[in-house]
Amino acid sequence: MEKKEITVALVGNPNSGKTSLFNALTGLNHKVSNFPGTTVEKKTGSFKLSPEKNAHIIDLPGTYSLYPKSADELVTYEILRNKAETNYPDLVVFIADASNLKRNLLLFTQVADLKVPIVLALNMLDVAERRGIKYDIDKLQEKLKVPVISLNARKKEGIDKLKELLLNDDLRVTAEYFSLQNVNSQLLDDLSKVTDKRNKYAALQYAINASSLISEKAKRLNEIFKHYQFDLIGFQEEEVLTRYKIIDETVKYARLKNVSQLKASITSKVDKILTHRYYGISIFLVLLLLVFQAMFSWSEYPKDWLEYGLGAFTNYVENTLPAGVLNDLVVHGILAGLTGVLVFLPQIILLFLFIAILEDVGYMARVGFIMDRIMRPFGMNGKSIVPLIGGMACAVPSIMATRSIENKKERLITILVTPLMSCSARLPVYTLLIGMMLEDSAKFGPFNVHGLVLMLMYLIGFFAAILSAWVFKLFIKQKEKTYFILELPGYKVPVFSNLLITIYEKGSAFVFGAGKIIIAVSVILWVIASTGPQANISKIENKYEALLNGNTNDSVKKELQLKMNAEKLEASYAGEFGKLIEPAIRPLGFDWKIGIALLTSLAAREVFVGTMNTIYSVNDDGDNSFSHIKTKMMAEINPRTGKPSYNTATFLSLMIFYAFAMQCMSTIAIVKKETDHIKWPIIQFLYLTALAYGSSFLVFNLFS
Ligand code: GDP
Ligand code: MG
């Protein structure tokens, strides 16, 4: 006797067209409820398939895998796993987005392996065709060994064919794509007993998912896994790889050849090299080297022009504004601070430009792919590489970009370590310090040594980031697991106007975002550096007044003037603060002047350069240029040791400090926002400060 009703489940990835098909089939005749005890939506409806036969349809929420990421999603396919389920479908209609067939087939093969009768409905064929992708339905059917139909759920095309298929009992077939022959059969038996599922694959799959939950059952499942020393992650990886092997073959076989096919085959050849385990990484490193070399040499002229222009502007302002406090504040406070940072704009723009080009071309996605293998042991995944590389420009947007990482733990770790990547704000600091440490023309073979040291600093940042990730991985509890599915986009020529917009956005965010802080800090700094306890200041002024009056030689007078300024700075509030913290930073090779800069660059790192400029030009002749500051800093003698205040050990120690310390208020703010808890930025701040202090201490003592 034939059944009067058949139950059909619609299954597929999100946005593949399930609901459209559901609506096309059932019209208004449906109801929405939740799966018992969850917020997962369950939509059911029915329609007349033939005069004597009814069809009952369940529209299941879309997921990408049967190993879902949340406990809520776990219930989605329980219908298909459970033995005695009233809703158990007679047939699964799997809706696949044909424009993304490979990814869709992953879930398809997993569902099929639950041994439920299944048909594949290829949807979105119009979208696929627009991208030059076409499939031979017969060939797909031949390879997959289940019925395949084509569909346009939005336009309701192919629905009749589907209905015919639903009526034909002969077409209800099951298939197997992944066998469990490599899995210990006793383990499977034990799991089956505990889980009581429809078959062994269903039992294993359920057990893997449930093992991360907190329940009595989960405990027992974990004991079984432990007993057989079953490698959960390894198994899932092997499963995904095996499935993709079959999927790749199938798709290759069934895809119709045309011009874009040729393009695709070139793409896949290029991809083979770019995502190769060794070549891929070597190419990536060479590219980085070239980027940094270019960043360094191409920015030279624009930097000179900017410096010249800003210098002329400062002179103009100094001569135009009436002499006095305002003149002093603008020239020695604000302009000195701003000049120090603005001259680095060309380098920052170049870096943004290179990152934007690599992203646009489609290369960054490949980097994510090769990096997945490297990132995984460190508690991150391939998607972490985009925020990390973005961190070379600025941690703030990069931390926002971690939203694309679904796994909470991997996302949190990525957020915590992103500030270790050398951001553009460190560039001025490094450039200033490298410029003072090395001769301009220093070469190593064909390479500019400045560029090499700079690259080294970036690498140090990167390695510190992944090692720290590993440390955090040990302390942060894992609640979910993921594997990497990344669709590699086709290569394309970057759109020039998009690049311009990106650069403009990022560049102006830097100038205005950082500019505000720099102006504020410069003003405060100027105030505390040019004022101090009145009695002390007066004493110095009186002492020098007598000397100055008794001297007529201009150069001697100038000398005396500079000496007086230095003593006044030391006696100022800023000087007092610097001296207060000097004992704490002396082991790192820093004096009280650097102490002032450390204080001010808590707001933002690049303020270091502005601060140095301000400190070394307070009450000076208004020459804010880099070479002038450099000369003055290099000539500085530490009164305690009688040796130059700055030597190689100091520079290295300072660079390491800036490489690791979390000196950026905006980052702290964004981490609080993205993690939704003040705990994380605090932990991050303490960790990074300790790391910076320890490393600087080590470096200073190694090199001095
Ligand atoms: P679901 O998430 O699987 O339920 O997918 P929906 O049914 O909500 O469909 C997602 C989007 O794809 C909607 O905007 C549909 O209108 C659209 N869509 C569905 N089928 C097709 C199709 O065959 N071609 C095109 N171009 N769009 C479709
Ligand atoms: Mg839907």
Side-chain angles (χ1 to χ4, degrees):
M1 184 57 210
E2 220 186 320
K3 263 204 323 188
K4 284 268 178 300
E5 186 179 75
I6 67 163
T7 302
V8 177
L10 304 184
V11 176
N13 287 171
N15 293 316
S16 53
K18 293 178 301 300
T19 304
S20 305
L21 177 62
F22 180 86
N23 292 341
L25 290 172
T26 63
L28 289 175
N29 190 14
H30 70 259
K31 70 168 200 272
V32 179
S33 58
N34 282 350
F35 283 98
T38 69
T39 57
V40 179
E41 192 177 86
K42 180 178 166 190
K43 230 172 159 182
T44 53
S46 59
F47 67 95
K48 275 226 157 332
L49 201 49
S50 72
E52 12 348 295
K53 208 164 196 177
N54 231 13
H56 178 66
I57 311 278
I58 311 168
D59 178 20
L60 291 174
T63 54
Y64 289 107
S65 161
L66 283 189
Y67 300 107
K69 278 161 210 110
S70 71
D72 259 8
E73 284 176 76
L74 216 165
V75 307
T76 309
Y77 299 111
E78 275 308 87
I79 289 178
L80 305 182
R81 291 195 194 97
N82 286 350
K83 258 184 190 161
E85 174 64 64
T86 43
N87 274 323
Y88 192 76
D90 299 291
L91 184 69
V92 163
V93 174
F94 190 96
I95 324 285
D97 171 356
S99 67
N100 259 326
L101 191 57
K102 282 189 190 177
R103 188 184 67 197
N104 283 253
L105 285 183
L106 178 69
L107 180 64
F108 167 80
T109 63
Q110 284 180 332
V111 174
D113 280 333
L114 292 171
K115 305 288 153 32
V116 55
I118 195 166
V119 301
L120 177 64
L122 278 194
N123 197 30
M124 306 275 183
L125 286 162
D126 50 333
V127 180
E129 198 159 336
R130 251 178 274 136
R131 293 192 199 158
I133 306 170
K134 269 185 168 171
Y135 293 104
D136 182 329
I137 301 282
D138 292 336
K139 281 185 169 176
L140 271 180
Q141 200 158 282
E142 178 192 333
K143 273 274 173 191
L144 294 173
K145 302 189 184 71
V146 298
V148 181
I149 56 160
S150 55
L151 206 65
N152 185 328
R154 181 149 71 181
K155 290 193 183 151
K156 304 189 184 181
E157 288 167 10
I159 306 280
D160 290 340
K161 190 97 184 280
L162 177 64
K163 286 184 178 170
E164 265 169 47
L165 209 146
L166 297 183
L167 275 171
N168 190 343
D169 293 352
D170 296 340
L171 291 177
R172 300 215 190 116
V173 291
T174 59
E176 178 176 275
Y177 300 104
F178 173 73
S179 83
L180 294 173
Q181 63 191 19
N182 291 335
V183 181
N184 187 326
S185 61
Q186 264 166 350
L187 164 78
L188 293 174
D189 287 343
D190 286 0
L191 290 179
S192 300
K193 270 180 222 137
V194 176
T195 58
D196 191 32
K197 293 294 158 193
R198 190 162 281 270
N199 56 43
K200 287 185 176 163
Y201 180 62
L204 177 59
Q205 217 185 50
Y206 175 84
I208 290 176
N209 288 326
S211 68
S212 59
L213 302 178
I214 302 155
S215 72
E216 201 42 47
K217 206 183 226 179
K219 225 172 101 190
R220 273 165 66 202
L221 293 172
N222 276 316
E223 277 162 12
I224 296 175
F225 281 136
K226 212 164 174 185
H227 177 75
Y228 292 98
Q229 295 182 339
F230 183 70
D231 175 7
L232 287 173
I233 306 278
F235 170 77
Q236 285 182 66
E237 272 172 12
E238 191 202 308
E239 183 186 336
V240 170
L241 287 179
T242 311
R243 292 189 188 283
Y244 266 126
K245 226 171 111 194
I246 299 163
I247 291 168
D248 278 339
E249 275 168 22
T250 307
V251 167
K252 207 169 168 186
Y253 178 71
R255 195 157 157 184
L256 294 170
K257 309 251 179 302
N258 56 21
V259 182
S260 63
Q261 174 82 14
L262 181 72
K263 222 160 109 192
S265 83
I266 295 173
T267 298
S268 82
K269 274 190 191 120
V270 175
D271 275 348
K272 265 210 181 103
I273 301 169
L274 288 187
T275 60
H276 187 271
R277 198 177 280 252
Y278 304 116
Y279 301 141
I281 290 173
S282 316
I283 291 172
F284 179 52
L285 286 180
V286 169
L287 257 175
L288 271 189
L289 179 70
L290 292 178
V291 164
F292 287 118
Q293 287 293 318
M295 219 167 83
F296 203 81
S297 46
W298 294 359
S299 61
E300 220 162 301
Y301 286 107
K303 198 174 146 199
D304 286 349
W305 301 331
L306 261 175
E307 199 160 89
Y308 180 80
L310 286 166
F313 179 70
T314 306
N315 274 338
Y316 171 79
V317 172
E318 188 172 25
N319 296 330
T320 317
L321 277 180
V325 178
L326 181 67
N327 186 316
D328 214 32
L329 170 68
V330 171
V331 172
H332 297 127
I334 297 172
L335 285 176
L338 270 186
T339 304
V341 173
L342 282 183
V343 294
F344 295 99
L345 196 58
Q347 280 178 348
I348 287 160
I349 285 183
L350 280 173
L351 180 63
F352 282 132
L353 176 69
F354 291 129
I355 292 183
I357 291 177
L358 292 179
E359 181 103 45
D360 254 30
V361 167
Y363 181 67
M364 281 308 198
R366 272 82 190 170
V367 174
F369 187 80
I370 41 175
M371 285 298 166
D372 196 51
R373 279 185 287 247
I374 299 175
M375 309 302 266
R376 225 154 249 292
F378 299 99
M380 298 187 280
N381 74 33
K383 282 189 186 166
S384 307
I385 200 69
V386 175
L388 286 184
I389 290 178
M392 298 200 307
C394 178
V396 175
S398 307
I399 284 171
M400 287 157 69
T402 58
R403 285 180 198 167
S404 68
I405 304 172
E406 295 97 351
N407 181 293
K408 286 207 194 82
K409 174 174 174 176
E410 288 167 356
R411 171 159 186 242
L412 180 61
I413 293 179
T414 310
I415 289 177
L416 291 178
V417 304
T418 295
L420 279 166
M421 296 300 292
S422 270
C423 67
S424 52
R426 287 173 175 103
L427 196 55
V429 181
Y430 291 157
T431 313
L432 176 79
L433 295 172
I434 295 172
M436 288 195 289
M437 192 169 65
L438 295 166
E439 284 303 320
D440 271 348
S441 53
K443 290 258 180 210
F444 180 80
F447 298 113
N448 184 312
V449 179
H450 288 218
L452 287 178
V453 176
L454 202 57
M455 174 155 168
L456 185 72
M457 292 313 295
Y458 278 76
L459 286 177
I460 287 177
F462 175 72
F463 285 113
I466 60 171
L467 288 178
S468 301
W470 182 78
V471 172
F472 285 125
K473 181 187 161 193
L474 298 180
F475 291 103
I476 299 171
K477 285 196 187 62
Q478 170 77 297
K479 292 203 195 68
E480 319 151 341
K481 41 194 156 331
T482 47
Y483 48 89
F484 192 62
I485 308 179
L486 181 86
E487 223 106 332
L488 295 180
Y491 292 101
K492 58 188 176 48
V493 180
V495 181
F496 184 66
S497 59
N498 282 351
L499 290 181
L500 280 188
I501 291 171
T502 310
I503 291 167
Y504 174 77
E505 279 173 2
K506 301 264 163 87
S508 58
F510 175 78
V511 171
F512 296 113
K516 263 188 290 192
I517 304 175
I518 289 161
I519 290 179
V521 173
S522 304
V523 170
I524 295 170
L525 194 70
W526 173 83
V527 171
I528 61 169
S530 56
T531 57
Q534 200 49 49
N536 301 350
I537 301 277
S538 307
K539 219 159 83 194
I540 297 169
E541 275 174 351
N542 289 340
K543 178 175 107 189
Y544 278 95
E545 202 172 344
L547 283 171
L548 281 167
N549 284 342
N551 236 309
T552 46
N553 185 328
D554 266 356
S555 68
V556 176
K557 263 185 150 168
K558 190 157 186 190
E559 184 104 336
L560 283 170
Q561 185 81 41
L562 286 178
K563 272 196 176 144
M564 176 174 85
N565 292 341
E567 279 186 34
K568 270 166 84 176
L569 177 63
E570 194 170 348
S572 69
Y573 293 119
E576 289 202 335
F577 173 83
K579 290 215 168 117
L580 186 72
I581 66 162
E582 197 180 53
I585 56 174
R586 197 176 292 141
L588 315 183
F590 305 158
D591 65 2
W592 55 273
K593 288 189 181 179
I594 297 178
I596 300 174
L598 291 187
L599 170 77
T600 55
S601 51
L602 268 182
R605 299 177 179 90
E606 62 274 35
V607 173
F608 173 82
V609 178
T611 303
M612 284 311 197
N613 272 13
T614 307
I615 290 176
Y616 283 94
S617 79
V618 165
N619 301 330
D620 192 13
D621 49 9
D623 181 352
N624 293 333
S625 74
F626 176 64
S627 52
H628 183 71
I629 304 291
K630 177 177 168 178
T631 317
K632 283 179 63 178
M633 284 175 72
M634 294 305 281
E636 171 116 327
I637 300 290
N638 184 339
R640 266 178 9 93
T641 57
K643 290 192 197 129
S645 295
Y646 298 91
N647 56 34
T648 307
T650 330
F651 290 133
L652 291 175
S653 169
L654 253 179
M655 284 204 281
I656 287 292
F657 192 89
Y658 274 84
F660 296 158
M662 187 168 180
Q663 299 155 301
C664 179
M665 305 226 247
S666 320
T667 305
I668 295 176
I670 201 79
V671 170
K672 152 98 182 37
K673 186 159 163 277
E674 295 291 318
T675 58
D676 215 15
H677 205 299
I678 188 71
K679 168 172 108 180
W680 293 112
I682 291 177
I683 291 176
Q684 189 177 29
F685 182 83
L686 294 178
Y687 171 80
L688 292 177
T689 307
L691 183 66
Y693 193 92
S695 316
S696 281
F697 179 77
L698 218 78
V699 165
F700 182 68
N701 286 292
L702 274 176
F703 286 88
S704 58

